[in-house]
Amino acid sequence: ERFWQSGDYAEGLTQLGQQTGNPFYQLAAQGREASTHLQRHDSSAKAQLHDSLDVSEWITRGLRNSIDDSTASLQAGLAVRASGGSTAPFVGLLGTVWGIFHALTAIGMDGQFLIEQVAGPVGEALVMTAAGLAVAIPAVLAYNVLGRLIARVEADLEGFARDLRELLCHRAPAAPQPD
């Protein structure tokens, strides 16, 4: 909101803050760069494929690239969360199978069934199962919460990009970039 309440584009960028990880600042800066790119283009320079795009398409392309970069950065750690949440129960299951295997081995070696032969390995199996669940449940919950937050930021970026595109293409020229 502070961006849109600013007197001009440069002031709006200042209001967004210039932190490296701020996707809204990056989006607005990329929009400014895209809108001034074609204005600065030297007509004597060799034409490039992107020079055939009109200003609207060029700005849209720049904004889309910025959103893609921000989205990739925001989603970078989600794969680790998803892997932890999906594999931890299987590690617990492996512990369960290992404990039962030890119990059955002890029974088979003695040829008789005693509760002492089963209690220790089954107890270990239950601890492994609990450990797997203790890792999996928070990982899945964190993944879901982070996924929702990232989706919200992505939606906000999309809306901001649409508004920036309208501003840059139709209403006002972007402030020149400082050299």
Side-chain angles (χ1 to χ4, degrees):
E1 285 304 313
R2 287 183 290 169
F3 176 85
W4 295 111
Q5 295 168 358
S6 299
D8 62 19
Y9 204 91
E11 182 186 338
L13 279 172
T14 303
Q15 291 295 329
L16 288 173
Q18 295 184 4
Q19 300 114 345
T20 306
N22 182 342
F24 294 94
Y25 176 82
Q26 298 301 324
L27 186 62
Q30 179 60 37
R32 177 189 59 196
E33 171 64 28
S35 70
T36 59
H37 171 79
L38 295 176
Q39 296 168 3
R40 291 190 321 247
H41 184 67
D42 182 5
S43 61
S44 65
K46 181 180 175 189
Q48 297 176 352
L49 183 60
H50 67 258
D51 294 331
S52 63
L53 297 173
D54 69 15
V55 174
S56 174
E57 292 166 335
W58 181 257
I59 289 171
T60 300
R61 180 179 178 267
L63 294 173
R64 169 59 34 216
N65 288 342
S66 180
I67 290 173
D68 290 345
D69 291 344
S70 295
T71 299
S73 176
L74 289 170
Q75 293 177 346
L78 283 183
V80 174
R81 287 265 181 231
S83 297
S86 63
T87 60
F90 294 108
V91 173
L93 180 61
L94 177 64
T96 303
V97 170
W98 189 259
I100 292 170
F101 172 76
H102 276 263
L104 293 175
T105 303
I107 291 170
M109 291 180 76
D110 286 346
Q112 57 183 339
F113 175 78
L114 299 173
I115 193 71
E116 295 86 23
Q117 294 170 323
V118 177
V122 170
E124 291 172 4
L126 293 174
V127 168
M128 289 300 294
T129 301
L133 291 174
V135 170
I137 292 170
V140 169
L141 291 174
Y143 176 84
N144 289 336
V145 167
L146 291 173
R148 284 188 196 141
L149 291 173
I150 290 170
R152 174 79 190 263
V153 170
E154 289 174 358
D156 290 346
L157 282 172
E158 290 283 344
F160 188 50
R162 279 191 303 274
D163 294 342
L164 278 176
R165 185 185 167 286
E166 289 298 315
L167 175 71
L168 295 170
C169 290
H170 303 294
R171 295 197 181 114
Q177 271 190 288
D179 292 325

